[in-house]
Amino acid sequence: MSTMPTTDPTDLLARRCRELVDIPSVSGDEGALEELVPLVHAELHRIAKRCIAGERAGQTLQATALVNEAYLRLIDVRRVNWQNRAHFLAMSARLMRRILVEVARSKRYQK
């Protein structure tokens, strides 16, 4: 029986985290991975809140939506050689700032 690729965001995040994490105790350990995914998501949510806090009043994108958009873009990244957790989080923060700029530009363009 062939396994069809899943489109469930949680499964995709888990698979991507498995690819990104270079901690030996996590690779291959489903229990550790299940603990890791919520921690990564929580950290990304904190970063998103900080990014949004620096935006102008009237900015409508919420932290969860920003994390989700960043996640969708991160799962497509294939060419990055993730060095460690700090590198992943720094690149995630940079991506979130880019998303906020894109949203602001599109709103300005619509005016």
Side-chain angles (χ1 to χ4, degrees):
M1 178 164 93
S2 65
T3 308
M4 299 211 39
T6 181
T7 57
D8 178 38
T10 305
D11 291 341
L12 291 172
L13 179 59
R15 189 171 344 128
R16 195 67 182 138
C17 283
R18 188 178 295 122
E19 294 170 3
L20 296 174
V21 175
D22 59 348
I23 303 169
S25 64
V26 173
S27 59
D29 182 354
E30 285 297 320
L33 184 62
E34 288 177 14
E35 291 178 28
L36 175 69
V37 171
L39 295 174
V40 170
H41 186 270
E43 186 64 32
L44 292 175
H45 201 270
R46 279 191 289 276
I47 291 169
K49 281 184 174 181
R50 283 193 302 261
C51 288
I52 289 173
E55 292 295 302
R56 290 183 184 186
Q59 194 290 116
T60 58
L61 195 62
Q62 295 180 352
T64 301
L66 183 56
V67 168
N68 292 342
E69 181 64 28
Y71 164 72
L72 289 174
R73 295 184 188 191
L74 282 170
I75 62 170
D76 286 336
V77 174
R78 303 269 186 248
R79 295 170 287 173
V80 176
N81 182 17
W82 300 107
Q83 297 172 7
N84 54 34
R85 177 181 176 272
H87 182 221
F88 172 75
L89 294 175
M91 293 304 292
S92 298
R94 180 179 284 181
L95 180 58
M96 287 182 202
R97 287 190 294 273
R98 268 194 216 147
I99 292 167
L100 288 171
V101 167
E102 289 171 9
V103 169
R105 284 182 180 159
S106 71
K107 285 184 180 185
R108 184 174 175 191
Y109 178 75
Q110 291 174 358
K111 285 186 177 181

